[in-house]
């Protein structure tokens, strides 16, 4: 009996470790991307390579599961596109914007999830759901407050990218809810492939394909390799974690990303938040925690 309990505890510990590892990675992922941007490797090009790496590794590690790829529902195509935009827009946002501001705007995603579930999945929104929406939007209103504006709206491209990333995350959740037969491997590949494809399209649109040449230094290649390996490991660990930890508990553990990001942004970039950003952030995070406790939506991890 004690052996069984020990195995169960180890599995639970490893699941929580996986969630904390993923939250830590995404709390500091902005730093190497900013280093690459300063070295002349744009966020789009860096995203292409850092997601191409885990995709290629995945092809090797999960090579035996390729046949199952062709048996996935067609909704995986939409998942690839949406997950790709979600991750790319988040990376671009944290490169140019204030880290905590970007992350907090991203955490408006429960609002968009509830709205999509109501209008698309025809799920009835209860009083608690409406309370989550009002609290989150009030937090965003306070955080975006600016005396020079008549109505507070995102004021920079990074703000809009952060909001769109949160919307993409919500849409990814809803797509997955409609596609319950998607395997964890398929979801991981969808993220890696999606960012790779969307980034490549962005490179073509902005004329950055020339960066595919040997203009990238060895140092920058090593940074992208390290980021790619972290993305591969964190994706698998987080996917394992969300399948072995209750949804509400996992959502709260993910908030560790905010702690890591706040400390890293202050120590590395010297960034700090204004009073209204703190107040708005508290409301947004409170509503995110509350939303995780009143819904049973499946987690779709865009890591």
């Amino acid at each position: 009996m004690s052996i069984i309990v020990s195995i169960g505890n180890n599995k639970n510990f490893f699941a929580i470790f996986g969630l904390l590892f993923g939250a830590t990675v995404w709390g500091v992922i902005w730093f190497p991307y900013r280093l690459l941007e300063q070295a002349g490797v744009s966020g789009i090009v860096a995203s292409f390579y850092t997601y191409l790496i885990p995709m290629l590794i995945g092809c090797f590690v999960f090579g035996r599961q390729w046949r199952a790829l062709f048996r996935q529902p067609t909704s995986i195509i939409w998942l690839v596109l949406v997950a790709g935009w979600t991750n790319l827009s988040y990376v671009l946002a944290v490169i140019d914007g204030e880290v905590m501001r970007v992350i907090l705007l991203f955490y408006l995603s429960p609002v968009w999830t509830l709205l999509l579930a109501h209008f698309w999945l025809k799920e009835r929104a209860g009083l608690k759901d409406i309370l989550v929406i009002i609290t989150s939007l009030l937090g965003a209103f306070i955080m975006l407050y600016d005396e020079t504006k008549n109505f507070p709206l995102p004021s920079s491209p990074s703000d809009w990218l952060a909001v769109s990333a949160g919307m993409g995350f919500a849409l990814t959740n809803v797509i997955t809810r409609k596609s319950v037969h998607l395997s964890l491997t398929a979801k991981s590949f969808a993220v890696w492939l999606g960012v790779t494809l969307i980034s490549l399209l962005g490179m073509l649109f902005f004329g950055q394909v020339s960066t595919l040449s040997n203009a990238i230094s060895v140092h920058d290649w090593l940074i992208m390799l390290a980021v790619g390996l972290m993305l591969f490991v964190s994706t698998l660990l987080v996917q394992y974690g969300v399948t072995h930890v209750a949804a509400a508990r996992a959502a709260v553990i993910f908030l560790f990303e905010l702690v890591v990001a706040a400390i890293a942004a202050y120590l590395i970039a010297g960034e700090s938040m204004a009073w209204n950003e703190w107040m708005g952030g508290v409301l947004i995070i409170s509503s995110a925690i509350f939303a995780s406790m009143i819904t049973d939506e499946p987690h779709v991890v865009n890591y």
Side-chain angles (χ1 to χ4, degrees):
M1 177 66 70
S2 60
I3 295 177
I4 295 176
V5 172
S6 176
I7 293 175
N9 290 336
N10 288 336
K11 180 182 292 187
N12 188 57
F13 171 81
F14 191 68
I16 294 175
F17 169 79
L19 297 176
L20 290 174
F21 182 86
T24 301
V25 167
W26 279 91
V28 299
I29 200 74
W30 55 271
F31 181 58
Y33 279 116
R34 285 189 180 182
L35 290 178
L36 291 167
E37 177 82 10
Q38 293 170 5
V41 183
S42 71
I44 296 177
V45 174
S47 296
F48 172 77
Y49 283 117
T50 53
Y51 277 89
L52 178 64
I53 290 170
M55 188 180 72
L56 294 177
I57 296 174
C59 290
F60 176 77
V61 174
F62 305 114
R64 295 180 179 179
Q65 301 184 31
W66 269 109
R67 292 181 180 178
L69 178 64
F70 300 98
R71 296 195 296 268
Q72 298 295 334
T74 55
S75 58
I76 196 172
I77 298 175
W78 295 108
L79 183 60
V80 166
L81 297 175
V82 176
W85 170 254
T86 298
N87 286 264
L88 177 60
S89 58
Y90 179 87
V91 168
L92 296 178
V94 292
I95 288 176
D96 295 324
E98 295 181 4
V99 175
M100 285 300 295
R101 183 182 178 94
V102 167
I103 294 177
L104 289 171
L105 288 174
F106 174 83
Y107 268 93
L108 286 171
S109 57
V111 172
W112 319 128
T113 300
L114 291 173
L115 292 174
L116 284 170
H118 176 71
F119 290 105
W120 187 6
L121 302 182
K122 306 303 180 181
E123 295 181 2
R124 184 176 180 181
L127 180 60
K128 293 180 179 179
D129 298 320
I130 296 174
L131 180 61
V132 167
I133 294 174
I134 293 175
T135 304
S136 293
L137 294 180
L138 177 61
F141 186 92
I142 295 174
M143 191 172 74
L144 297 172
Y145 174 75
D146 188 340
E147 294 180 352
T148 62
K149 295 182 178 180
N150 294 326
F151 190 80
L153 288 172
S155 57
S156 66
S158 60
D159 282 357
W160 285 109
L161 285 168
V163 172
S164 73
M167 290 180 175
F169 185 76
L171 183 55
T172 305
N173 277 330
V174 174
I175 292 174
T176 302
R177 188 181 301 183
K178 291 177 68 69
S179 307
V180 295
H181 300 300
L182 285 176
S183 66
L184 295 180
T185 304
K187 285 188 286 186
S188 299
F189 267 103
V191 175
W192 301 329
L193 177 61
V195 181
T196 302
L197 289 177
I198 299 298
S199 299
L200 182 58
L201 291 175
M203 291 164 62
L204 292 171
F205 182 80
F206 291 106
Q208 298 181 3
V209 179
S210 59
T211 316
L212 292 171
S213 65
N214 56 5
I216 302 176
S217 68
V218 175
H219 178 264
D220 295 335
W221 279 117
L222 291 176
I223 292 177
M224 289 191 288
L225 177 60
V227 173
L229 292 174
M230 284 195 302
L231 289 172
F232 177 78
V233 174
S234 66
T235 299
L236 297 181
L237 287 179
V238 169
Q239 293 289 7
Y240 177 85
V242 296
T243 57
H244 292 87
V245 176
R249 189 180 183 188
V252 174
I253 294 174
F254 275 132
L255 296 179
F256 183 64
E257 174 188 351
L258 293 169
V259 178
V260 175
I263 296 174
Y266 178 76
L267 294 178
I268 299 175
E271 295 181 2
S272 59
M273 296 171 60
W275 68 268
N276 60 307
E277 292 176 324
W278 278 111
M279 290 182 61
V282 169
L283 289 174
I284 291 173
I285 296 307
S286 298
S287 64
I289 296 174
F290 188 49
S292 70
M293 295 179 177
I294 64 175
T295 63
D296 57 353
E297 69 180 41
H299 286 281
V300 179
V301 183
N302 297 311
Y303 295 152

